[in-house]
Amino acid sequence: MRLGQEIYSFFYTFGIWGILGIIIAGIFLGIIVYKTLIISKKYNLNSYNELLDKIINNKKIKNIIKIIINIFLISSFYIMIAGFSAYFYQEYNINKIISSLFLIILCYFTFNKNAEKIIQINTILIPIIIITFIIFGINNINIIENKNIIGNNNNFLWIISGIIYTSYNSITLIGLTGIMNKHLKDKKSCIGVAILTSIIIIGLGIIIYLLLINMDKQVEIPMLYVANKFGGIYKYLYSITILIAIFTTAISEGYSFLANISKNNQKIYKASNIIMCTLAIPISSLGFANLVNIVYPIFGVIGMLQIIYLCKA
């Protein structure tokens, strides 16, 4: 949900129709997860490359999708760097270049040391983030005092927005889902995972949407602003959660990109690490909200290619 900016950009402007957009996105992502799991289970696939080999026969198309995924990974890395600097600027008015540089240096050394161990933290972090949002949402949602939820922007663009949101999230979701085969016993397990995915996405999306109603100005990290308005433990709990989430996501996306392009060649890996981290300074300076609003819609359109091949399989 990337700090609430995605929900704000893709759904909030549509009023009540934005909630329907979130529901559509959640259902579609659940279907995509189910389709991926069924194919992986049927052919006993255990890696993303095996999945691509099974659903795509055309080598050129397959290579194009791999390139798209790598560009998406490095773009997401830069977006996380921008999100980190946006946090400290919004919260403490710290210069964005200084905070970006701090995280970039931390990532650089992590990539050269224990990146895989850091990535494993995500398996613990994700449930914590979900629980944090649920507690935060249940205790603080207030939709009665604010009329912004009503809205009358029913021009059906919310449907397109939901599809684009689904598409770019599926770029990495398909890859992650494709390696779950060995953890699932049968078709019922696949259905269960797909349903749970939809419930989590729809539930968290609506919670964030309703919390955003409490905003009275536009900021780069909407959820941080809302948490600060409620104050108390929510402010500190959310701040700690998002900083850990930003760091582990940046490491996960950056390391995956480096591993993909280096193909176990340490010289290429180290050189790519230097180049990627160096470019993070000028690219992240474009701004977190700007990058989200530009990059994700583009990949939302491009990502449809992978979904089409998945559905045809």
Side-chain angles (χ1 to χ4, degrees), residues 26 29 37 56 62 85 100 103 113 116 130 134 138 145 152 160 205-206 219 252 310:
L29 283 169
L37 290 174
I56 303 174
K62 194 185 306 178
S85 63
S100 291
L103 182 58
K113 295 291 182 180
E116 291 188 60
I130 293 172
I134 291 174
I138 290 175
E145 295 180 1
N152 56 4
I160 297 176
I206 292 176
V219 292
S252 178
L310 180 71

Side-chain angles (χ1 to χ4, degrees), residues 130-241:
I130 293 172
I131 294 171
T132 300
F133 271 117
I134 291 174
I135 294 173
F136 189 22
I138 290 175
N139 289 334
N140 294 297
I141 288 176
N142 185 347
I143 65 174
I144 299 175
E145 295 180 1
N146 195 308
K147 296 181 180 179
N148 289 340
I149 189 175
I150 303 301
N152 56 4
N153 193 4
N154 184 19
N155 51 16
F156 296 104
L157 288 178
W158 54 270
I159 298 177
I160 297 176
S161 194
I163 292 173
I164 291 175
Y165 179 87
T166 299
S167 181
Y168 78 77
N169 274 288
S170 71
I171 290 177
T172 52
L173 184 61
I174 289 174
L176 291 172
T177 305
I179 62 176
M180 291 179 62
N181 169 47
K182 58 184 177 181
H183 301 293
L184 300 174
K185 295 181 179 180
D186 48 32
K187 186 175 181 180
K188 289 183 178 179
S189 300
C190 298
I191 295 173
V193 171
I195 292 174
L196 183 60
T197 299
S198 291
I199 291 173
I200 291 174
I201 291 171
I202 293 171
L204 288 182
I206 292 176
I207 285 175
I208 293 172
Y209 179 96
L210 296 177
L211 286 171
L212 292 179
I213 292 172
N214 294 281
M215 286 181 56
D216 49 27
K217 70 175 182 179
Q218 189 170 347
V219 292
E220 284 202 284
I221 306 181
M223 284 300 297
L224 176 62
Y225 178 77
V226 173
N228 286 341
K229 286 192 70 175
F230 292 127
I233 190 174
Y234 300 111
K235 172 182 176 180
Y236 300 107
L237 181 62
Y238 185 75
S239 294
I240 293 171
T241 302

Side-chain angles (χ1 to χ4, degrees), residues 258-297:
L258 292 173
N260 287 348
I261 65 170
S262 64
K263 297 179 180 178
N264 296 320
N265 186 314
Q266 284 301 307
K267 288 185 177 180
I268 295 177
Y269 181 94
K270 291 180 179 180
S272 300
N273 185 14
I274 294 173
I275 295 171
M276 182 180 74
C277 290
T278 301
L279 290 175
I281 299 174
I283 294 176
S284 63
S285 65
L286 294 174
F288 176 64
N290 289 332
L291 287 172
V292 169
N293 292 330
I294 294 172
V295 172
Y296 289 149

Side-chain angles (χ1 to χ4, degrees), residues 77-128:
F77 170 73
Y78 291 140
I79 288 174
M80 288 300 104
I81 300 294
F84 186 83
S85 63
Y87 168 86
F88 282 99
Y89 181 77
Q90 183 175 316
E91 189 71 0
Y92 304 107
N93 201 30
I94 295 176
N95 185 281
K96 289 186 177 182
I97 294 179
I98 294 175
S99 52
S100 291
L101 192 58
F102 173 80
L103 182 58
I104 290 167
I105 293 173
L106 187 61
C107 287
Y108 172 78
F109 285 107
T110 304
F111 291 141
N112 284 333
K113 295 291 182 180
N114 300 310
E116 291 188 60
K117 292 182 180 179
I118 296 294
I119 293 172
Q120 291 173 3
I121 295 176
N122 275 332
T123 60
I124 301 173
L125 178 67
I126 292 174
I128 293 175

